[in-house]
Amino acid sequence: MIELKGINKSYGNLRVLDDVSLSIGSNEIITIVGPSGAGKTTLLQIAGTLDRPDSGSVLYDGEDIARFNDRRLSAFRNRNIGFIFQFHQLLPEFTAQENVALPAMIAGESSRKAQKRAAELLDMLGLGDRLRHKPTQLSGGERQRAAIARALVNSPGVIFADEPTGSLDSRNRDEIRSAIADLRERLGQTFVIVTHDPSMTSIADRTVRMADGRILAEGEEGCDISVEISSPIC
Ligand code: ADP
C-alpha cells in the first residue's frame, strides 16, 4: 500500500536518513523503535508526506507523491492519512466532538454529517458521554483517545503516530494501546507507531529498529530500546 524506497534526508551536514526503504501493508500495526536521534520522527514525517526526502520515493498505491504540488499534497494528506502526536493538539476552544469533526469539514463534509461521524467515533473510543467536553475537561488518556478519533474521521488508509503514549501514565498508556489494537481488529486500520514504550511493540505485527538513520536488519545489533532514552546502551 505504501512503499518507501531509498529515502535519504540530511539537515546541513547531518545525514538523518540513509537509504531507508520500508513497505507498509494494509491492516498492519508497525512499530518503529530506536534511540533518540535515530531518525524515527523524520521517517514518519516523510512517510506521512509532512516532509519531503532529498532523494528516494514515497509511493502510495504505486503513485509517487513527490509529483504532487503542495496544494494537491495537502488535500491528499487530509483524506488519506491520519496523525496522532505525543501531545494531543486538540484545539482548546472546541469540544471533543467539534475537534474530531473539523478534518471532515475541511475535507468538504457537511457540518451535520461530520458531527455525526465524530460522535460515532468518540463513542467507539468510549467517549460517548464526553462529546461536549472541552480538552481541559478530559483526562490525558481521554484527550489522546479524542485525538485518535480525529485521526480516524476521514477513514484514512494509514495512521502515523509519533510517541502516542509518550506523555501518559501507565494506566492511560494501557488504554491507548488497547484502543489501537481494537481499532485494527474492528476497522482493519493500519498504524505506524514511533514509540519508546516497550509494551506498544506487543500489539505490533512488525517492529522496525532504527539506528543512525538506517533500518537495522533482523538480528543486527542496535541500541537497547528498553533503556531510558536519555541513556541508550549502544
Ligand atoms: P528520532 O525521532 O529518532 O529521535 P529525529 O528524526 O527526530 O530522530 O531526528 C534525527 C536527527 O535529525 C536528530 O539529530 C535531530 O536533531 C535532527 N533533526 C531533526 N529535524 C531537524 C531539523 N528540522 N533541522 C535540523 N536537524 C533536525
Side-chain angles (χ1 to χ4, degrees):
M1 184 180 78
I2 302 168
E3 191 98 39
L4 306 183
K5 285 187 186 165
I7 301 290
N8 290 294
K9 181 80 179 176
S10 297
Y11 291 111
N13 292 331
L14 183 68
R15 187 98 184 249
V16 179
L17 294 177
D18 182 4
D19 194 24
V20 171
S21 296
L22 178 68
S23 297
I24 302 164
S26 296
N27 306 352
E28 251 196 318
I29 297 180
I30 301 177
T31 46
I32 302 178
V33 302
S36 202
K40 304 180 299 294
T41 293
T42 306
L43 181 63
L44 204 75
Q45 300 237 331
I46 287 174
T49 77
L50 290 170
D51 200 354
R52 293 183 190 264
D54 297 335
S55 61
S57 46
V58 181
L59 306 172
Y60 274 75
D61 292 327
E63 191 160 26
D64 190 347
I65 55 98
R67 293 166 202 272
F68 293 8
N69 63 26
D70 286 347
R71 214 174 117 209
R72 187 168 168 211
L73 193 57
S74 307
F76 177 84
R77 190 185 305 124
N78 174 251
R79 286 203 161 271
N80 297 289
I81 305 172
F83 293 96
I84 306 166
F85 300 101
Q86 178 172 355
F87 300 101
H88 55 86
Q89 299 190 339
L90 299 171
L91 299 172
E93 64 272 31
F94 291 105
T95 65
Q97 187 177 13
E98 288 164 344
N99 266 287
V100 175
L102 267 174
M105 291 165 67
I106 290 167
E109 196 57 271
S110 69
S111 169
R112 197 179 58 80
K113 279 194 179 161
Q115 300 276 359
K116 183 165 174 284
R117 169 100 176 123
E120 286 165 4
L121 287 169
L122 285 164
D123 194 39
M124 188 188 292
L125 282 149
L127 296 173
D129 57 353
R130 297 282 191 279
L131 302 186
R132 287 180 178 72
H133 286 55
K134 300 230 169 122
T136 52
Q137 300 169 317
L138 299 171
S139 73
E142 288 171 340
R143 283 195 286 265
Q144 203 58 318
R145 275 187 280 152
I148 295 175
R150 180 186 51 189
L152 283 163
V153 75
N154 289 332
S155 307
V158 59
I159 290 180
F160 293 102
D162 196 350
E163 298 279 7
T165 57
S167 62
L168 300 177
D169 61 24
S170 66
R171 193 175 58 79
N172 283 311
R173 276 205 298 271
D174 291 347
E175 212 177 78
I176 295 305
R177 191 180 62 246
S178 306
I180 289 174
D182 185 50
L183 288 166
R184 194 272 291 274
E185 286 306 311
R186 291 166 72 162
L187 307 176
Q189 182 65 52
T190 301
F191 287 92
V192 182
I193 306 166
V194 165
T195 188
H196 282 107
D197 176 357
S199 69
M200 188 62 91
T201 58
S202 69
I203 62 163
D205 302 297
R206 198 149 54 99
T207 294
V208 169
R209 295 185 308 130
M210 289 189 71
D212 301 327
R214 291 190 311 114
I215 290 181
L216 298 178
E218 199 110 348
E220 191 176 352
E221 282 298 311
C223 294
D224 182 348
I225 61 132
S226 63
V227 176
E228 268 304 298
I229 46 173
S230 53
S231 56
I233 297 173
C234 293

